[in-house]
Amino acid sequence: MMQTHKKPGLLLLVLLASLSVCTAQNISGYKVTTRFKIASGGGWDYISVNDHKLYVSHGTQVNILDESTGDSLGYIPNTIGVHGIAFIPALGKGYVSCGRLNTITVFDLKTNAVEKQIPVGQNPDAIFYDPFSKKIITCNGRSHDLSIVDPQTDTVSSTIALSGKPETAVSDEAGKVFVNIEDKNSISSVDIAAGKVLATWSIAPGEGPTGLAIDKKTNRLFAGCDKQLIVLDYTTGMVTDRVPIGDGCDGVAFDNGYRYVIASCGEGVLSFVSVDAKGKCKILDTVKTKKSARTIGLDPDTHHIFLPAADMGPAAAGQRPPMIPGTFQILVVSK
């Protein structure tokens, strides 16, 4: 039988060209561009962006940094067990969930002065402002409920019971809030005005949902689970897609301008997932960050991403690895 021989040089060029095209199509352009160091000790949870300032939960306070330079702009003290930070710029007020105090700290956005402590449910964790109901909402991990706070009076106006531990919540800005129920592997749809749960949907095979983001154009929710991103249609409650991501995800953001879902994963990577007009998803890129960089903040104006992280020591059996003092930092990820 006659054998044909291809020129190895030509074959190599073809393979390299194909690889180049594939690589170009899978690069987001993002990388770690700088790091802001914060000298004070203590752990961390969420990081939030407002008016190009970074509000960083850290130890028993919230550190405030200029997002361009990393310069310190002040801090909010005595937020013991701090988890998250929310803002109402029109009222000039910010709100901090204090998990160990079972309170929300209210502070002035201009002066950073603490104005009030609001008693809420047990272990308030994620916190956000819902522009539709004009309420501040906390996810209370230990009491398994939501505290609805009226910012006009800074008092709890209602409490909504849930089926399990709420981790994160987002709003469709049309009357509904969606809540990750971490210990039940589900997402609940909540009518804030009526003060009740409308439905609870399984997100199997997703487990332990933590971060949650929303795309109101395609009616999709994106839940960060154990090594996978679960995509759910919130008009039907059906899981429509799932995409592999890094391990240890604790934060998910949606960049509406670029149409990216971004999952921050504690193993030390950012997973970028593109979303098409029909809500279908695919992995776009995996960007190396730093081990322990598990939560995320996004500036929708600049598209810059901010990740709290630190160097970690060896872990004792069954325990989280301890943070090495003096190594806490904010990674800035940008194009």
Side-chain angles (χ1 to χ4, degrees), residues 13 22 83 87 92 101 108-109 119 125 137 172 191 217 223 280 309 322:
L13 287 174
C22 292
H83 285 290
F87 315 97
L101 299 177
D108 186 289
L109 286 176
D125 193 340
I137 301 171
D172 68 355
D191 185 319
K217 289 184 180 179
K280 294 298 291 182

PDB file of all heavy atoms in Angstrom, residues 13 22 83 87 92 101 108-109 119 125 137 172 191 217 223 280 309 322:
ATOM      1  N   LEU A  13       3.232  23.983  11.472  1.00  0.00           N
ATOM      2  CA  LEU A  13       2.667  25.324  11.318  1.00  0.00           C
ATOM      3  C   LEU A  13       1.150  25.308  11.427  1.00  0.00           C
ATOM      4  O   LEU A  13       0.546  26.191  12.022  1.00  0.00           O
ATOM      5  CB  LEU A  13       3.087  25.919   9.971  1.00  0.00           C
ATOM      6  CG  LEU A  13       4.550  26.367   9.863  1.00  0.00           C
ATOM      7  CD1 LEU A  13       4.862  26.785   8.429  1.00  0.00           C
ATOM      8  CD2 LEU A  13       4.825  27.518  10.819  1.00  0.00           C
ATOM      9  N   CYS A  22      -7.342  28.884  18.978  1.00  0.00           N
ATOM     10  CA  CYS A  22      -8.085  28.418  20.148  1.00  0.00           C
ATOM     11  C   CYS A  22      -7.716  29.213  21.394  1.00  0.00           C
ATOM     12  O   CYS A  22      -8.567  29.577  22.192  1.00  0.00           O
ATOM     13  CB  CYS A  22      -7.811  26.936  20.398  1.00  0.00           C
ATOM     14  SG  CYS A  22      -8.502  25.862  19.124  1.00  0.00           S
ATOM     15  N   HIS A  83     -19.156  40.645  58.147  1.00  0.00           N
ATOM     16  CA  HIS A  83     -19.312  39.852  56.933  1.00  0.00           C
ATOM     17  C   HIS A  83     -19.401  40.735  55.686  1.00  0.00           C
ATOM     18  O   HIS A  83     -18.544  40.675  54.814  1.00  0.00           O
ATOM     19  CB  HIS A  83     -20.554  38.965  57.014  1.00  0.00           C
ATOM     20  CG  HIS A  83     -20.390  37.781  57.899  1.00  0.00           C
ATOM     21  ND1 HIS A  83     -19.587  36.714  57.583  1.00  0.00           N
ATOM     22  CD2 HIS A  83     -20.931  37.498  59.115  1.00  0.00           C
ATOM     23  CE1 HIS A  83     -19.632  35.808  58.550  1.00  0.00           C
ATOM     24  NE2 HIS A  83     -20.443  36.266  59.496  1.00  0.00           N
ATOM     25  N   PHE A  87     -24.790  49.663  50.628  1.00  0.00           N
ATOM     26  CA  PHE A  87     -24.788  51.122  50.517  1.00  0.00           C
ATOM     27  C   PHE A  87     -26.125  51.643  49.988  1.00  0.00           C
ATOM     28  O   PHE A  87     -26.761  50.996  49.151  1.00  0.00           O
ATOM     29  CB  PHE A  87     -23.683  51.588  49.564  1.00  0.00           C
ATOM     30  CG  PHE A  87     -22.368  50.915  49.784  1.00  0.00           C
ATOM     31  CD1 PHE A  87     -21.994  49.812  49.010  1.00  0.00           C
ATOM     32  CD2 PHE A  87     -21.505  51.354  50.774  1.00  0.00           C
ATOM     33  CE1 PHE A  87     -20.790  49.180  49.219  1.00  0.00           C
ATOM     34  CE2 PHE A  87     -20.290  50.727  50.983  1.00  0.00           C
ATOM     35  CZ  PHE A  87     -19.927  49.630  50.203  1.00  0.00           C
ATOM     36  N   GLY A  92     -26.878  58.601  51.725  1.00  0.00           N
ATOM     37  CA  GLY A  92     -25.572  58.841  52.319  1.00  0.00           C
ATOM     38  C   GLY A  92     -25.224  57.878  53.435  1.00  0.00           C
ATOM     39  O   GLY A  92     -24.453  58.217  54.337  1.00  0.00           O
ATOM     40  N   LEU A 101     -22.248  39.992  66.662  1.00  0.00           N
ATOM     41  CA  LEU A 101     -23.054  40.894  67.478  1.00  0.00           C
ATOM     42  C   LEU A 101     -24.546  40.763  67.189  1.00  0.00           C
ATOM     43  O   LEU A 101     -25.368  41.317  67.918  1.00  0.00           O
ATOM     44  CB  LEU A 101     -22.626  42.353  67.233  1.00  0.00           C
ATOM     45  CG  LEU A 101     -21.177  42.709  67.573  1.00  0.00           C
ATOM     46  CD1 LEU A 101     -20.896  44.159  67.198  1.00  0.00           C
ATOM     47  CD2 LEU A 101     -20.889  42.467  69.043  1.00  0.00           C
ATOM     48  N   ASP A 108     -22.122  56.733  58.228  1.00  0.00           N
ATOM     49  CA  ASP A 108     -22.217  57.851  57.288  1.00  0.00           C
ATOM     50  C   ASP A 108     -21.181  57.665  56.184  1.00  0.00           C
ATOM     51  O   ASP A 108     -19.991  57.486  56.474  1.00  0.00           O
ATOM     52  CB  ASP A 108     -21.984  59.164  58.025  1.00  0.00           C
ATOM     53  CG  ASP A 108     -22.216  60.383  57.149  1.00  0.00           C
ATOM     54  OD1 ASP A 108     -21.385  60.625  56.244  1.00  0.00           O
ATOM     55  OD2 ASP A 108     -23.203  61.099  57.368  1.00  0.00           O
ATOM     56  N   LEU A 109     -21.617  57.694  54.918  1.00  0.00           N
ATOM     57  CA  LEU A 109     -20.702  57.453  53.807  1.00  0.00           C
ATOM     58  C   LEU A 109     -19.663  58.559  53.635  1.00  0.00           C
ATOM     59  O   LEU A 109     -18.592  58.326  53.068  1.00  0.00           O
ATOM     60  CB  LEU A 109     -21.482  57.289  52.496  1.00  0.00           C
ATOM     61  CG  LEU A 109     -22.228  55.973  52.309  1.00  0.00           C
ATOM     62  CD1 LEU A 109     -23.029  55.998  51.011  1.00  0.00           C
ATOM     63  CD2 LEU A 109     -21.258  54.798  52.300  1.00  0.00           C
ATOM     64  N   PRO A 119     -30.455  45.732  65.866  1.00  0.00           N
ATOM     65  CA  PRO A 119     -30.545  44.301  66.158  1.00  0.00           C
ATOM     66  C   PRO A 119     -31.297  43.575  65.031  1.00  0.00           C
ATOM     67  O   PRO A 119     -32.353  44.031  64.587  1.00  0.00           O
ATOM     68  CB  PRO A 119     -31.343  44.245  67.464  1.00  0.00           C
ATOM     69  CG  PRO A 119     -31.250  45.620  68.036  1.00  0.00           C
ATOM     70  CD  PRO A 119     -31.174  46.551  66.861  1.00  0.00           C
ATOM     71  N   ASP A 125     -25.090  37.625  57.753  1.00  0.00           N
ATOM     72  CA  ASP A 125     -23.948  37.341  56.872  1.00  0.00           C
ATOM     73  C   ASP A 125     -24.004  38.279  55.668  1.00  0.00           C
ATOM     74  O   ASP A 125     -23.676  39.454  55.769  1.00  0.00           O
ATOM     75  CB  ASP A 125     -23.985  35.870  56.473  1.00  0.00           C
ATOM     76  CG  ASP A 125     -22.701  35.373  55.832  1.00  0.00           C
ATOM     77  OD1 ASP A 125     -21.925  36.200  55.339  1.00  0.00           O
ATOM     78  OD2 ASP A 125     -22.480  34.145  55.819  1.00  0.00           O
ATOM     79  N   ILE A 137     -31.421  44.241  53.267  1.00  0.00           N
ATOM     80  CA  ILE A 137     -31.770  42.852  53.570  1.00  0.00           C
ATOM     81  C   ILE A 137     -30.519  42.105  54.020  1.00  0.00           C
ATOM     82  O   ILE A 137     -29.481  42.178  53.365  1.00  0.00           O
ATOM     83  CB  ILE A 137     -32.390  42.158  52.342  1.00  0.00           C
ATOM     84  CG1 ILE A 137     -33.657  42.902  51.900  1.00  0.00           C
ATOM     85  CG2 ILE A 137     -32.702  40.694  52.649  1.00  0.00           C
ATOM     86  CD1 ILE A 137     -34.223  42.424  50.577  1.00  0.00           C
ATOM     87  N   ASP A 172     -34.120  40.688  41.663  1.00  0.00           N
ATOM     88  CA  ASP A 172     -34.436  40.921  40.251  1.00  0.00           C
ATOM     89  C   ASP A 172     -34.888  42.364  40.026  1.00  0.00           C
ATOM     90  O   ASP A 172     -35.203  42.750  38.907  1.00  0.00           O
ATOM     91  CB  ASP A 172     -35.491  39.938  39.743  1.00  0.00           C
ATOM     92  CG  ASP A 172     -36.877  40.157  40.358  1.00  0.00           C
ATOM     93  OD1 ASP A 172     -37.016  41.008  41.260  1.00  0.00           O
ATOM     94  OD2 ASP A 172     -37.822  39.465  39.928  1.00  0.00           O
ATOM     95  N   ASP A 191     -40.874  36.761  47.843  1.00  0.00           N
ATOM     96  CA  ASP A 191     -41.614  37.989  47.574  1.00  0.00           C
ATOM     97  C   ASP A 191     -41.415  38.911  48.783  1.00  0.00           C
ATOM     98  O   ASP A 191     -41.931  38.647  49.866  1.00  0.00           O
ATOM     99  CB  ASP A 191     -43.100  37.666  47.379  1.00  0.00           C
ATOM    100  CG  ASP A 191     -43.924  38.889  46.974  1.00  0.00           C
ATOM    101  OD1 ASP A 191     -43.682  39.982  47.530  1.00  0.00           O
ATOM    102  OD2 ASP A 191     -44.819  38.748  46.120  1.00  0.00           O
ATOM    103  N   LYS A 217     -31.230  40.127  32.064  1.00  0.00           N
ATOM    104  CA  LYS A 217     -31.562  40.063  30.637  1.00  0.00           C
ATOM    105  C   LYS A 217     -31.989  38.665  30.211  1.00  0.00           C
ATOM    106  O   LYS A 217     -32.870  38.503  29.360  1.00  0.00           O
ATOM    107  CB  LYS A 217     -30.365  40.524  29.797  1.00  0.00           C
ATOM    108  CG  LYS A 217     -30.084  42.018  29.892  1.00  0.00           C
ATOM    109  CD  LYS A 217     -28.951  42.409  28.962  1.00  0.00           C
ATOM    110  CE  LYS A 217     -28.671  43.906  29.042  1.00  0.00           C
ATOM    111  NZ  LYS A 217     -27.535  44.299  28.159  1.00  0.00           N
ATOM    112  N   ALA A 223     -25.022  30.213  40.578  1.00  0.00           N
ATOM    113  CA  ALA A 223     -24.678  29.825  41.945  1.00  0.00           C
ATOM    114  C   ALA A 223     -23.347  29.097  41.956  1.00  0.00           C
ATOM    115  O   ALA A 223     -23.165  28.083  41.273  1.00  0.00           O
ATOM    116  CB  ALA A 223     -25.770  28.929  42.538  1.00  0.00           C
ATOM    117  N   LYS A 280     -26.949  30.539  27.699  1.00  0.00           N
ATOM    118  CA  LYS A 280     -26.036  29.407  27.682  1.00  0.00           C
ATOM    119  C   LYS A 280     -24.644  29.886  28.054  1.00  0.00           C
ATOM    120  O   LYS A 280     -24.227  30.992  27.708  1.00  0.00           O
ATOM    121  CB  LYS A 280     -26.002  28.745  26.305  1.00  0.00           C
ATOM    122  CG  LYS A 280     -27.306  28.085  25.917  1.00  0.00           C
ATOM    123  CD  LYS A 280     -27.688  26.949  26.869  1.00  0.00           C
ATOM    124  CE  LYS A 280     -26.746  25.745  26.727  1.00  0.00           C
ATOM    125  NZ  LYS A 280     -27.170  24.632  27.651  1.00  0.00           N
ATOM    126  N   ALA A 309      -7.144  38.358  50.110  1.00  0.00           N
ATOM    127  CA  ALA A 309      -6.379  37.113  50.242  1.00  0.00           C
ATOM    128  C   ALA A 309      -5.274  37.314  51.264  1.00  0.00           C
ATOM    129  O   ALA A 309      -5.005  38.432  51.711  1.00  0.00           O
ATOM    130  CB  ALA A 309      -5.791  36.686  48.896  1.00  0.00           C
ATOM    131  N   PRO A 322      -4.512  28.637  59.234  1.00  0.00           N
ATOM    132  CA  PRO A 322      -4.471  29.966  59.837  1.00  0.00           C
ATOM    133  C   PRO A 322      -3.809  30.984  58.914  1.00  0.00           C
ATOM    134  O   PRO A 322      -2.913  30.651  58.132  1.00  0.00           O
ATOM    135  CB  PRO A 322      -3.635  29.746  61.099  1.00  0.00           C
ATOM    136  CG  PRO A 322      -2.711  28.627  60.720  1.00  0.00           C
ATOM    137  CD  PRO A 322      -3.513  27.734  59.812  1.00  0.00           C
TER     138      PRO A 322
END
